[in-house]
Amino acid sequence: GALVSSLSAGSTAAIQEQGVAVSRASAGVLSAIQDADAGLGTVLDVDASLGALTSAVRTYAGPQAARRAAAVCLSHALQARARFAAKRPLIGHTVAASTSLGVLCQRLYGGAALTAKAEILRINRLATPYNVPAGTALLIPDPAKLIAS
């Protein structure tokens, strides 16, 4: 990202702004991955920041060397996202009996229940996390993978 910005130097102000936008979006992807890795975000947050980077790279009209650097930056971000997602796979889970999300998370994740609960809430946008009906299909982080990592 920073290379794109520096390669844009000497271009018009608009091109320099686009270079800075690519650089900032690149830093945003890194920050989103770090936040998600710390349990402060999810892969959805990473994808949103990746979307911003993709948009910035697609609209970037800088010199050819800078456009090439922007494409490489996007490629690295996509690879980082794939590595992150592989580390935290999501699985489908159907609630067997009516329960609260907190109880479900405690049963599935033990000590990591609070972090998992926050992530499941962000992913599934449950209206009533205190009363999840039987048969509700949820997308959740794989408990087996979280224990192993």
Side-chain angles (χ1 to χ4, degrees):
L3 177 60
V4 174
S5 193
S6 68
L7 289 172
S8 299
S11 299
T12 66
I15 298 296
Q16 288 178 8
E17 265 183 51
Q18 290 175 353
V20 169
V22 170
S23 183
R24 285 186 181 146
S26 174
V29 171
L30 177 61
S31 178
I33 289 174
Q34 289 171 337
D35 286 351
D37 205 30
L40 302 173
T42 69
V43 73
L44 299 176
D45 301 319
V46 174
D47 287 347
S49 63
L50 194 52
L53 176 59
T54 300
S55 177
V57 169
R58 283 186 179 161
T59 59
Y60 182 58
Q64 184 175 4
R67 288 194 316 267
R68 209 173 298 124
V72 169
C73 177
L74 178 59
S75 173
H76 287 282
L78 288 166
Q79 290 170 13
R81 189 256 184 234
R83 283 191 304 271
F84 173 77
K87 191 167 69 169
R88 295 190 189 259
L90 296 175
I91 62 169
H93 177 81
T94 302
V95 177
S98 292
T99 187
S100 72
L101 185 59
V103 170
L104 178 67
C105 288
Q106 188 62 45
R107 192 178 81 236
L108 293 173
Y109 302 101
L114 285 177
T115 301
K117 181 180 176 184
E119 188 168 2
I120 292 168
L121 279 170
R122 280 192 296 270
I123 294 168
N124 294 281
R125 306 208 186 269
L126 297 172
T128 57
Y130 48 84
N131 182 19
V132 182
T136 301
L138 299 173
L139 193 58
I140 65 170
D142 187 348
K145 299 294 182 184
L146 291 177
I147 292 168
S149 58

